[in-house]
Amino acid sequence: MLGAPHSLVEYGDFECPYCREAVPVVADVRRRMGDGLVFAFRHFPLAEVHPFALAAALAAEAAGVHGRFWPMHDLLFSGDEPRLRQADLRGYAERIGVPPHKVVWPATQFVEDRVEADFNSGVRSGVRGTPTFFVDGELYRGDTTVDGLLDALHRAGDRVR
């Protein structure tokens, strides 16, 4: 929600096992903070080690054009292992009501600049790996746990007062 007193930004990679582990943590933090938190996911595909991460990021952005970013985000992180091949991406699109051909190349070319902009902003902000979190604009250096993130958010609120 815009205008929320706190923000949590995650730079993530859909193929990263640590980002996958962070999904329920972030969901719990979001649930507990409610309208007091705005959450943003920024793409940071580590293509050199995760060959399907870029295509997944592009698919998420393409789904977002159809108002379905979060349902695609959730499907891309679903399951025990990433399933991010072209056929998987098409299947996810179909499940969320997006034409399957709209989330794979070449249809995703028009969202490449969005993913690149996220990646470049991460590099400028000091992101080195995924997931990387920013709490109220400050790099979070703690463990990716519900208690750790909530503590950081509450400490950030104390700094503002």
Side-chain angles (χ1 to χ4, degrees):
M1 160 177 270
L2 292 176
H6 295 289
S7 66
L8 179 64
V9 175
E10 175 186 358
Y11 281 88
D13 171 322
F14 288 110
E15 201 169 348
C16 169
Y18 305 108
C19 292
R20 182 173 296 281
E21 290 173 4
V23 169
V25 171
V26 171
D28 197 5
V29 169
R30 291 176 71 188
R31 183 185 58 76
R32 291 183 189 205
M33 294 291 293
D35 290 343
L37 179 72
V38 63
F39 173 69
F41 183 87
R42 302 270 190 265
H43 300 286
F44 204 79
L46 300 170
E48 290 180 12
V49 290
H50 298 141
F52 302 107
L54 179 57
L58 294 171
E61 283 301 316
V65 170
H66 296 274
R68 307 298 290 160
F69 175 85
W70 290 111
M72 180 61 94
H73 168 278
D74 294 347
L75 284 173
L76 291 168
F77 277 129
S78 67
D80 294 333
E81 294 290 325
R83 301 181 80 87
L84 305 175
R85 296 187 182 275
Q86 296 295 296
D88 300 315
L89 301 177
R90 285 185 181 98
Y92 297 152
E94 198 167 314
R95 284 174 59 184
I96 63 171
V98 173
H101 69 280
K102 296 286 190 178
V103 300
V104 294
W105 198 88
T108 55
Q109 286 178 307
F110 75 101
V111 294
E112 288 176 356
D113 60 335
R114 295 178 189 194
V115 173
E116 185 176 355
D118 278 1
F119 187 87
N120 289 337
S121 77
V123 169
R124 285 190 306 275
S125 298
V127 175
R128 300 283 180 259
T130 57
T132 295
F133 293 96
F134 288 82
V135 171
D136 289 348
E138 297 292 325
L139 179 63
Y140 173 72
R141 298 185 189 278
D143 292 333
T144 304
T145 64
V146 173
D147 289 340
L149 288 168
L150 287 173
D151 287 348
L153 286 160
H154 294 306
R155 280 194 314 272
D158 291 343
R159 284 194 308 264
V160 173
R161 290 184 202 152

